Amino acid sequence: PAPSSADIGVTGMGVMGRNLARNLARHEHRVAIHNRTASKTEDVMDQFGDEGTFVPSESLEDFVSSLTPPRVAIVMVQAGAATDAVIDDLADLLDEGDIIVDAGNALFTDTRRREAALKERGLHFVGCGVSGGEEGALWGPSIMPGGSADSYKRLGPMLESISAHVDGEPCCTHVGEDGAGHFVKMVHNGIEYADMQVIGEAYDLLRRGLGLTPAEISEIFAEWNKGDLDSYLMEVSTEVLRQVDAETGKPLVDIIVDQAGQKGTGMWTVQTALDLAVPVTGIGEATFARGLSSAVVQRDAAADFEGIADEWNIADRDAFIEDVRQALYASKIIAYSQGFNEIQAAATEYGWDISLADMARIWRDGCIIRARFLGDVTKAYDKNPELPLLLADEYFYNAVKTALPHWRRVVSLAALHGVPAPVFSSSLSYYDGVRADRLPAALIQGQRDYFGAHTYKRVDKEGTFHTLWATEE
Ligand code: ATR
């Protein structure tokens, strides 16, 4: 390839890498492409070479020299050791001021470590979240780049050009320094877990409570998808529920083994939330629910345990459907509120200047959690960037207040009839906890002081106190 003939490069021609490269080429960027195994690069040229200007290289050396300085090289290989190996090789070939972009799903602490090491060598390292799956990468993902503000000047316009757009605004912004981009991508995925689980709980309750078929529930979801719950995941659920298995003629959802998989981003979100002491109960319960579904040994052992006493006997079908819809909506608001709190806490901890309004804005389209709802979240944080929790915004508070009687009814019915609703019920507990005038935490402080002399504070004066507890012999 001719030296300096490409604007940007992508190494790693797996599905995500080639789709990002094709998206860039379609937007008139000259794209250098490379893959460890050269045949994959040839494949891309054979299949898609006429979609734009690609500059293929067999060696990483040629790939680097085909880039126009300051060079921008996107790494799209497997997270972990492979990413480290490719970054090391690239760093040896690049010059001061060049930019390495990791567009994989790296853990933000790895990104922070890599960024610090490469900065010492005069290189920019941008951990960049990309959401939207394969189709998103090709047609317009939501893009969450971290790294230096300086690197965004060179990189940002190219990424913005290939991202999804809402009302002409790109679903891409500079999130914050070093690992901020991968951090918010992680929380995005955690929120996605909660979003999927609340839809699952609604489905389960409608099915068991009303004896509806998956196809009937699909129709209800299609209706919900026209209102506040309008989202990509609701649309996906509608499609999945109406799918009939070709072999058996049964609803496909009844043929699929009910054990949810996970790749770890939900778990990271929860682990990190524990480190930051932010209660992300919605994401946490959603992650644990996947774990429970796959805990085959325990499920087998418990399969004959006593369940419900009462039979379902819902008199007003439509009222129950509305109860469930409201419970879903309220639980979703709680889960997002908690996820945004986690971003807020990390921004303080790591010194990132993250605009929560911008995060909601770039998630309105392109990504898996895209939804009408995120337009309302954007408005809430635009109005008050310091919002302590999403529910403190009038619009969302009113929504939750309206949902409250419905939500309480659904959670109690679920408990009475033995239907697990971990995110619905824990979200309601969070709501009741966060609004409580007094919490039993006072007793816990007393307990801690009793057995460990951990001291406590008083409601009526300043200071720290310890009681000489009267102990029996
Ligand atoms: P997909 O499933 O999306 O096609 P994949 O098969 O997981 O993606 O491959 C991801 C990319 O990581 C591939 O481009 C792979 O290169 P090869 O085609 O040569 O296998 C790349 N990759 C994985 N480990 C790598 C390593 N240690 N060094 C360089 N590239 C690596």
Side-chain angles (χ1 to χ4, degrees), residues 358-412:
D358 282 350
M359 292 312 102
R361 195 173 277 113
I362 65 170
W363 290 344
R364 285 177 303 167
D365 203 0
C367 60
I368 303 295
I369 66 171
R370 61 183 181 260
R372 179 192 296 190
F373 177 79
L374 281 156
D376 301 320
V377 179
T378 305
K379 278 186 214 146
Y381 285 112
D382 266 338
K383 223 187 305 165
N384 179 6
E386 308 298 327
L387 211 54
L389 70 176
L390 188 53
L391 315 231
D393 175 73
E394 204 186 346
Y395 176 85
F396 287 108
Y397 176 57
N398 283 330
V400 168
K401 204 164 72 172
T402 305
L404 206 51
H406 303 275
W407 193 11
R408 291 198 190 287
R409 207 150 44 226
V410 167
V411 169
S412 34

Side-chain angles (χ1 to χ4, degrees), residues 244-303:
V244 174
D245 176 46
E247 251 175 72
T248 59
K250 290 182 183 165
L252 182 65
V253 73
D254 288 342
I255 301 297
I256 297 175
V257 173
D258 61 342
Q259 294 165 18
Q262 46 185 321
K263 283 196 181 162
T265 42
M267 177 189 75
W268 287 348
T269 311
V270 180
Q271 286 175 330
T272 306
L274 290 171
D275 288 338
L276 294 166
V278 181
V280 289
T281 58
I283 299 169
E285 289 295 348
T287 307
F288 288 134
R290 289 197 190 187
L292 186 150
S293 76
S294 301
V296 182
V297 174
Q298 286 74 19
R299 288 182 68 187
D300 271 350

